[in-house]
Amino acid sequence: MTEHDEQAERDERAAFIEAVGDALAAWNLSRATGRVYGFLLLRSEPATLDTIGAELSLSAGGVSTAARELVSWGLARTIPQPGSRRLRVEAVGGFEQLLAASHERTRAFIRTLRSGTALTGDVRASERLSAVTRLFESYVEAGDEMLRRHRGDDGDRTTQG
């Protein structure tokens, strides 16, 4: 590979990492979290927090926060290093996990919306709350169907609401 090719590949990797950062920022995750995820997706091996910080020019605190956020969304896992307090991090999935996690959070929101039904003071407010609830229920149902197709599931899974 020529020096020009290597530079082009580095530029493409950097553009990918930035694009993933922008995409996850649209999902209300931090842009740094998205950049860390993009970086991890391109690696075949887990990376230390120090390596991630150095490669992406992020602070130790920023990398640590990003790693925790990715783990909480099911997009990464941490791997302890024997005999050390240091952790390595690796990506564990794609947007399928992000969508599944988003659906779980949306289901929690739907439960909250449903709990407000008895609190509406009139028919107009009740109808509006019901319409909003149905919209989010439809969103989750459509997303679950898409995920089932993606996974190749033919069985009927019951969604928890």
Side-chain angles (χ1 to χ4, degrees):
M1 184 179 289
T2 69
E3 188 175 320
H4 180 271
D5 291 339
E6 289 175 5
Q7 183 60 46
E9 184 176 318
R10 282 192 298 274
D11 291 347
E12 287 177 22
R13 292 174 65 81
F16 173 82
I17 289 167
E18 296 301 319
V20 173
D22 292 343
L24 291 193
W27 287 74
N28 292 324
L29 294 171
S30 75
R31 189 167 181 282
T33 297
R35 291 179 64 227
V36 170
Y37 187 55
F39 174 77
L40 294 173
L41 283 172
L42 296 177
R43 293 182 56 90
S44 59
E45 298 292 325
T48 65
L49 299 180
D50 291 338
T51 298
I52 296 167
E55 289 287 329
L56 300 179
S57 300
L58 293 171
S59 69
V63 173
S64 180
T65 299
R68 279 194 311 276
E69 195 168 32
L70 290 170
V71 169
S72 76
W73 277 85
L75 296 172
R77 70 181 181 115
T78 55
I79 303 163
Q81 291 183 281
S84 173
R85 292 177 40 192
R86 299 183 126 183
L87 295 174
R88 292 177 300 146
V89 184
E90 72 177 343
V92 294
F95 279 99
E96 178 181 346
Q97 283 77 10
L98 184 60
L99 288 173
S102 174
H103 290 168
E104 285 307 312
R105 291 176 186 212
T106 303
R107 285 185 186 94
F109 183 53
I110 290 167
R111 288 189 293 276
T112 300
L113 292 172
R114 288 180 183 156
S115 73
T117 302
L119 304 174
T120 55
D122 58 36
V123 172
R124 183 171 183 231
S126 179
E127 288 173 352
R128 182 180 53 237
L129 183 56
S130 292
V132 170
T133 304
R134 284 191 309 273
L135 174 69
F136 281 98
E137 289 169 338
S138 296
Y139 163 75
V140 170
E141 289 169 12
D144 283 346
E145 177 61 26
M146 182 186 69
L147 288 172
R148 276 192 294 277
R149 287 183 190 157
H150 175 74
R151 293 175 183 144
D153 294 350
D154 292 327
D156 183 28
R157 285 194 322 172
T158 304
T159 58
Q160 297 171 338

